[in-house]
Amino acid sequence: MAKKIGVITSGGDAPGMNAAVRAIVRRGISLGYHMIGIRKGFKGLLEDDFTTLTSRSVSRTINFGGTILHTARCPETRTVSGMNRAVKTIKDLDLKGVVIIGGDGSLAAGNELVKHGIKVINIPASIDNDIFGTDETIGYDTALNTAVEAIDKIRDTATSHERIFVVEIMGREHGFLAMDVGIASGCEFIVVPEVKTNMNSMVNELKLGKERGKTSQIIAFAEGAGSSWEFAKKIEDMTGLEVRVSILGYIQRGGRPTARTRMLASQFGNLAVELLHAGKSNLLVILSNGKISSVPIAKIINREKKFDKEKYTLLKNLSI
Ligand code: F6P
């Protein structure tokens, strides 16, 4: 039986990917495996770009954002020839299985590998926290903290000038990150794709807020909800109040992973290798109700994570 395991970080990087790679490499080595790092996501499989990983290769990486293996978006995995090439590389390398750390796109590519007889365990990693089946993804808590810290700073200048701010938060077509950022940073409003915004009522609330003595009002605006610039302009036109836009952008993807992110990544990585070692495949490791476990990919692929509307109303109640 082959004693080699491959590890890939794929799609958008997320803080904590290194902590996961570290856990995978060290647990793999402790179980007697030779560990292979595939570089630049699935591209590495198409370009034969891989390297041996030792316990020392992952020393002093737990505290760094990004991914030491590098990553890429790789549309070629959606083509028959691209997938065949990826499968050939894995077979030539004689890997017992592959651990894929990434988001939705990576799950889909992993699922295709499985159809070609490759053993795959997936680890959810994305700042968007949008993967069905897991309460949390690697990187989400770090991005949340980064955005909250940024909004704390924006609040200082917003208050000094008595301005309204529209702060754009990443999350692709989902508002999971924006909602939690909004609640944790005490924003007055959240605009997310999952909930229709009533402009008239928001404008009234903004005016009322001003009358009630609010010196700043911040709207956490999910990037998937449209153009933050157009939204801000509308608010300015409808209220006559001064509105500024701040797009947090890629700073949300970088930086030192929080302790929570590192813990989650370490636990996910450890379990992923143990599952492969036990001969399992086609699973996603998850956090559910405080417990780390795994679910079959078939149960989660192409399913939409539910948006917590109850949590959404919390902000409304607390922003008076
Ligand atoms: O999925 C993570 C994410 O950062 C999203 O929040 C964002 O919409 C997207 O990736 C940006 O993608 P790219 O790195 O390809 O610009």
Side-chain angles (χ1 to χ4, degrees), residues 144 219 256 262 315:
L144 172 62
I219 302 165
R256 283 178 69 225
R262 298 181 200 189
L315 177 134

Side-chain angles (χ1 to χ4, degrees), residues 80-128:
V80 174
S81 60
M83 192 42 70
N84 286 343
R85 177 71 172 82
V87 170
K88 180 179 181 310
T89 309
I90 293 170
K91 290 195 169 157
D92 288 351
L93 279 169
D94 198 19
L95 301 181
K96 177 186 172 79
V98 184
V99 181
I100 303 171
I101 308 165
D104 271 343
S106 316
L107 278 179
N111 200 35
E112 283 305 311
L113 288 180
V114 170
K115 289 181 190 159
H116 288 78
I118 310 287
K119 284 198 156 77
V120 175
I121 304 292
N122 298 273
I123 294 184
S126 165
I127 63 161
D128 304 339

